[in-house]
Amino acid sequence: MACGGISKGRKRRSFSPEVWEGRPAKESHVPFFARLSGNKRLSGGTKGNFTREGRRIGLEDMVSHQKERIFFIDALRGVCLLGIFAVNMLDFQMPYLYMNPLDAAETFADRAVYIFIDVFAQASFYPLFAFLFGYGMVLISEKAEAKGVNSRPVLTRRLAFLLLLGLLHAFFLWTGDILAGYALCGFLLLPFLRRPGKKLLKTAGILYLVPNLLIAALTLLSGLAAKDLAEPEKAEKALHIYGNGSFLEITRYRMSEWAEIHHPWNLLVMLFMIFPFMLAGAGFAKEGRLAGGRRLFPYYRKRFAFALPAGLVLKTLPYWAGDTAGNVYIQDVFGGPLLSMAFLAGLYLAVNSGYGKKVFAAFSCAGRMSLTNYLFQSLVCTTIFYGYGFSLYGKVSIAAAFSAVIALFAVQVLISRLWLRRFSRGPAEWLWRKVYWTRGSRTAG
């Protein structure tokens, strides 16, 4: 099952810097795509010389791998969109930042749903989104350079627009915005884009592990209980303003809350918590670790076999070792990325085995419009819960809100499929591309 008009054979002459929409690669671009895929066969042998037979076989494999990679990345982005939506819904519906959600779990269903989200979704999908962001930046950079275009201005415009969009989103819709933070980390990534993939991966590992291991050790030694981190007064204030305030009152509170959360220290936190995953995504793009087809099955089988059980052990740590601040930190900061690796590896194996394509086709449609769908989620949910809408903030159970997540995401999948039958990208994606990919950039080369 494919999304949109491509399944009907319509050929669109449009260039997207993140996906190529099934267009066959030109022979003159073989070295670029061969290097991107990391497959030695695509370069005609281990020495990288193109023979006539090697070039012919390489083109066939290259097109096949390109199609697999496009579907896989869109499907992964769609899965991340659902996972992050489930976590964000907790913040949409109640003062999640200032309380222990289990205190609001009135029934067994509420408790079970929250534990499910906490174990499988919390801190497990934003690393993947950051990873895909870094991966996409390399693809845009490489594609622009292959077209004879300087990629730095293209990426700078892309990030500047995303930063502006993120601030507007945070101030006028929802303070939990991730776009502005990703844009700032993207600016930090620009000087690293020409570095080799292995160095990017090594830098990502060091930058993430060293400070977070130190913080985890200090937090464990502190012996704080997680419930001590709750702030009842702020929770009551949020309940009153978000639940009953006008749009102007809520906007003022949103801005003050955003400023309080995003203090200068938070920039350093993003350096250790988000930026390393962007580096890792860029490294994977350079190394061709998402475009190798079945050749990479042994690589992903090993990582899935390790990451899934290890991630589940750490993600359940507060439930069997004590609900302390140290255990919660380890749960999210180390358990979350391990489950991210398991999701990445498992989806790669499923999609490239063939049987996962039908299962994840719906996620692929939503993933192709991830920016539009992300903003749409904020618009709909703040209208449902905030005072200028239906005023349901703090009045809906966790289980009921999770049911709404599934229903709304299903609607988004349907809308995405219908939209992509007529257009090649979502409205937000179209506007974003219009801003950063100028006419000269598109036609150069």
Side-chain angles (χ1 to χ4, degrees):
M1 184 186 302
C3 299
I6 295 175
S7 62
K8 295 184 178 181
R10 279 186 273 174
K11 297 181 180 180
R12 292 187 178 89
R13 188 170 177 78
S14 61
F15 163 68
S16 170
E18 291 181 328
V19 297
W20 288 273
E21 300 175 353
R23 290 169 57 189
K26 296 180 181 179
E27 188 168 311
S28 59
H29 290 168
V30 170
F32 164 70
F33 286 118
R35 177 166 53 82
L36 183 65
S37 70
N39 190 341
K40 292 180 179 179
R41 287 195 305 147
L42 301 189
S43 59
T46 58
K47 294 183 180 181
N49 297 322
F50 283 86
T51 63
R52 290 182 179 273
E53 183 65 11
R55 182 182 294 275
R56 183 182 64 81
I57 296 175
L59 277 171
E60 293 172 356
D61 289 347
M62 177 183 65
V63 173
S64 175
H65 289 169
Q66 280 296 98
K67 292 179 180 179
E68 295 295 326
R69 183 184 59 76
I70 293 167
F71 181 88
F72 167 71
I73 291 175
D74 287 337
L76 179 60
R77 193 178 287 116
V79 171
C80 291
L81 188 67
L82 176 59
I84 286 181
F85 190 19
V87 177
N88 289 348
M89 181 58 83
L90 294 172
D91 194 63
F92 285 132
Q93 72 177 108
M94 61 182 172
Y96 177 57
L97 291 177
Y98 310 124
M99 62 182 291
N100 184 349
L102 286 176
D103 294 339
E106 300 177 352
T107 65
F108 173 79
D110 290 337
R111 184 178 178 85
V113 167
Y114 172 73
I115 292 176
F116 175 81
I117 295 173
D118 188 42
V119 171
F120 289 98
Q122 172 65 31
S124 298
F125 289 102
Y126 83 81
L128 282 176
F129 249 142
F131 173 91
L132 290 172
F133 193 89
Y135 188 92
M137 284 188 65
V138 170
L139 296 191
I140 294 171
S141 175
E142 296 277 14
K143 188 68 175 181
E145 297 296 337
K147 289 278 188 177
V149 176
N150 185 358
S151 62
R152 183 63 65 90
V154 173
L155 292 172
T156 301
R157 288 193 299 271
R158 169 185 169 88
L159 295 170
F161 177 79
L162 189 67
L163 177 60
L164 176 61
L165 183 63
L167 292 175
L168 293 174
H169 177 228
F171 293 159
F172 297 104
L173 279 180
W174 182 53
T175 53
D177 169 78
I178 61 171
L179 303 178
Y182 280 21
L184 292 174
C185 289
F187 282 116
L188 294 178
L189 184 61
L190 288 176
F192 291 85
L193 292 180
R194 295 188 182 277
R195 300 192 68 183
K198 290 182 179 179
K199 288 187 177 181
L200 289 172
L201 294 172
K202 185 180 295 185
T203 303
I206 294 173
L207 190 60
Y208 190 80
L209 291 175
V210 172
N212 282 308
L213 284 172
L214 179 61
I215 295 172
L218 294 174
T219 309
L220 285 171
L221 292 174
S222 70
L224 292 173
K227 61 183 179 181
D228 293 336
L229 302 178
E231 301 177 89
E233 293 182 359
K234 289 186 177 181
E236 285 294 328
K237 185 176 181 180
L239 278 170
H240 174 70
I241 295 178
Y242 282 131
N244 305 289
S246 65
F247 181 81
L248 182 59
E249 292 171 332
I250 290 175
T251 298
R252 288 174 178 170
Y253 183 72
R254 264 193 294 244
M255 290 182 176
S256 63
E257 187 179 45
W258 186 91
E260 182 179 352
I261 295 172
H262 295 83
H263 48 73
W265 170 252
N266 189 58
L267 297 176
L268 186 60
V269 172
M270 287 194 297
L271 180 64
F272 299 141
M273 301 293 288
I274 296 177
F275 183 60
F277 296 111
M278 290 189 180
L279 285 172
F284 265 59
K286 295 274 187 175
E287 293 289 298
R289 294 189 183 180
L290 295 184
R294 292 176 174 267
R295 180 178 60 86
L296 292 177
F297 273 21
Y299 175 86
Y300 283 108
R301 285 195 186 106
K302 291 178 182 178
R303 277 144 188 83
F304 182 79
F306 163 74
L308 183 62
L312 288 176
V313 168
L314 293 185
K315 284 305 296 287
T316 57
L317 185 63
Y319 298 99
W320 55 266
D323 192 22
T324 64
N327 289 339
V328 171
Y329 189 85
I330 292 173
Q331 174 196 33
D332 288 346
V333 174
F334 297 106
L338 281 171
L339 275 190
S340 299
M341 183 188 299
F343 294 148
L344 173 67
L347 186 60
Y348 184 92
L349 293 171
V351 167
N352 287 279
S353 295
Y355 60 82
K357 279 198 166 184
K358 291 184 178 180
V359 175
F360 292 102
F363 290 98
S364 177
C365 293
R368 283 180 59 184
M369 294 175 53
S370 58
L371 180 60
T372 299
N373 285 324
Y374 174 73
L375 296 173
F376 181 78
Q377 289 169 3
S378 296
L379 177 62
V380 171
C381 290
T382 53
T383 301
I384 291 173
F385 292 106
Y386 287 3
Y388 54 78
F390 294 94
S391 302
L392 295 178
Y393 192 77
K395 301 176 183 177
V396 178
S397 69
I398 296 175
F402 182 72
S403 300
V405 168
I406 304 302
L408 285 171
F409 188 77
V411 171
Q412 287 189 303
V413 168
L414 178 60
I415 293 175
S416 297
R417 288 191 62 191
L418 294 174
W419 182 276
L420 292 171
R421 287 179 181 177
R422 185 173 181 84
F423 304 101
S424 60
R425 56 185 60 83
E429 287 78 9
W430 175 86
L431 178 61
W432 193 15
R433 178 179 180 272
K434 201 75 173 178
V435 168
Y436 75 80
W437 205 257
T438 64
R439 179 175 298 275
S441 299
R442 290 195 299 268
T443 59

